[in-house]
Amino acid sequence: YEEAQAVIETGEGEYKEEILALNGLAQKLRDRRFKDGAIAFDRYEVKFDIDENGKPLGTYIKESKEANKLIEEFMLLANRTVAEFIGKSKNKTKKTFVYRIHEQPDPGKLRDFSAFISRFGYKMRTEGTKTDISKGINKLLDSVQGKPEENLVETLAIRSMQKAHYTTDNIGHYGLAMDYYTHFTSPIRRYPDTMVHRLLTKYADGGRSANEKHYEELCEHCSEMEQIAQNAERDSIKYKMVEFMGDKLGEEFDAHISGITSYAVSYTHLTL
């Protein structure tokens, strides 16, 4: 990614013509997605520098740059193309397949989110077509860029969304504004992608449709395991945060509060 990013920024380097051409195509694909109503969630990730014993020595923000977005767009294109190839097939019998779906936001959560951001002077559309709502969310995310409340608003916007999951019953992917979507590009680390590869091979060889009930059970299991993995990842980050702050008791820092419960205060960003 770093080498490709250097080529994009300077216009010089190995495979510069290919990389610059791909980057131009990726930008067109990205622009089209947003025009169709995709939501632009560009989050910053907190990462840790650790020593050989795993002790955190410092933190840094991982930012998604053009090289990352280039790969992202072509992965999205591959995933969509595979889902369309099966889902839009002209065969009379619909073949069982693994889709990655994302439902529209819950209206109640959207209203609560809209009420919260109004305290910062922002307004957001919570009714209308799904494209109207997604464009309203994008407009809000654009307007908070560079503001002190940017991270907080983006975090709470994500929390107001539904969770994407796997199923054999395709209803499209709201956040990506795609009618057909699956996970095809990471079979080394995701089992749903392996299922997709196996089904593609089966159908390419002329095989009959797989058992839908069986695959729906597998989809539910994968969705549950994904949530467990996400929770473990978030907990590990929280653990490293606590470990990193362990020797700083008594010191004062600036933070953005994102939630208050009976037992704790949550924050989205800490200035060190």
Side-chain angles (χ1 to χ4, degrees), residues 48-139:
F48 294 92
D49 290 317
I50 59 176
D51 63 16
E52 62 275 10
N53 297 316
K55 181 180 179 181
L57 304 175
T59 65
Y60 63 95
I61 301 296
K62 182 182 177 183
E63 183 181 356
S64 180
K65 296 185 177 181
E66 284 180 283
N68 302 90
K69 294 174 182 177
L70 183 162
I71 297 299
E72 178 186 29
E73 287 305 324
F74 286 106
M75 289 177 73
L76 291 174
L77 179 60
N79 289 336
R80 186 187 74 193
T81 302
V82 168
E84 286 180 345
F85 179 72
I86 300 298
K88 296 174 74 172
S89 173
K90 295 179 181 179
N91 292 332
K92 293 181 180 180
T93 304
K94 183 179 112 177
K95 290 186 181 291
T96 297
F97 202 59
V98 174
Y99 296 97
R100 177 75 168 175
I101 70 164
H102 185 228
E103 290 137 323
Q104 287 186 240
D106 177 80
K109 286 186 176 180
L110 271 187
R111 286 191 293 270
D112 290 343
F113 176 58
S114 179
F116 177 82
I117 61 173
S118 67
R119 302 173 189 176
F120 293 93
Y122 298 108
K123 292 182 179 179
M124 189 189 73
R125 187 166 185 171
T126 59
E127 296 180 349
T129 66
K130 62 181 182 180
T131 303
D132 290 335
I133 295 172
S134 62
K135 287 184 176 179
I137 295 172
N138 281 338
K139 184 177 179 181

Side-chain angles (χ1 to χ4, degrees), residues 33 76-77 80 171-181:
R33 274 201 303 118
L76 291 174
L77 179 60
R80 186 187 74 193
I171 62 167
H173 196 295
Y174 174 76
L176 296 174
M178 294 181 182
D179 293 330
Y180 296 87
Y181 190 68

Side-chain angles (χ1 to χ4, degrees), residues 151-166:
N151 195 268
L152 170 61
V153 171
E154 287 185 351
T155 298
L156 296 182
I158 290 175
R159 290 179 185 175
S160 70
M161 297 289 107
Q162 302 274 25
K163 293 186 185 299
H165 59 96
Y166 301 103

